Amino acid sequence: MITAVVRYKLPSQIDHATCREHFHKIAPNFREVTGLISKHFVWSQSGWAGGVYQWEGIEDAKAFYTGPWLDGIIQRYGMKPQIDLYEVFAVTDNTSGKVELFKETVASK
């Protein structure tokens, strides 16, 4: 499993309410993204926003962060996003009461 943290600085014309409205509008569009497990749409008082994504594999993540998605981010926010990819070793999920441990995938390749 891969976690991606994607951040971009919001232009001054995109305030908290505008960002929230946009995220609410586009959230359903992520239902059909290949390999995407979940996405958290995030905003910070520091003026940064973005997403925290959970991916089945690194190939799906890398494929998504190119082409139309990247072009849309640059057009809307005026910058390339900062994208950090992390291999997930374990997940503690307190809502389900489960702990998942994952085999090595990225570092061994």
Side-chain angles (χ1 to χ4, degrees):
M1 179 187 295
I2 300 297
T3 295
V5 178
V6 177
R7 298 176 355 119
Y8 38 81
K9 184 78 170 161
L10 295 173
S12 59
Q13 72 271 18
I14 299 179
D15 61 9
H16 177 268
T18 304
C19 184
R20 175 187 287 274
E21 181 180 330
H22 179 68
F23 282 175
H24 282 188
K25 178 182 174 185
I26 68 170
N29 299 340
F30 288 82
R31 294 287 314 235
E32 304 300 322
V33 174
T34 301
L36 182 65
I37 297 168
S38 67
K39 178 180 179 184
H40 295 247
F41 295 81
V42 297
W43 173 88
S44 170
Q45 289 181 337
S46 67
W48 288 81
V52 179
Y53 299 72
Q54 295 294 315
W55 294 96
E56 292 174 6
I58 197 160
E59 297 82 11
D60 291 326
K62 287 182 176 182
F64 180 78
Y65 298 127
T66 60
W69 177 86
L70 181 59
D71 295 341
I73 294 295
I74 293 169
Q75 181 179 21
R76 181 164 174 82
Y77 303 110
M79 68 173 289
K80 280 190 167 184
Q82 297 175 359
I83 303 172
D84 294 310
L85 300 172
Y86 301 91
E87 181 177 358
V88 178
F89 293 158
V91 172
T92 299
D93 183 342
N94 290 330
T95 59
S96 68
K98 294 181 181 177
V99 173
E100 290 184 80
L101 307 177
F102 299 98
K103 295 180 181 178
E104 186 173 2
T105 58
V106 176
S108 64
K109 293 185 178 180

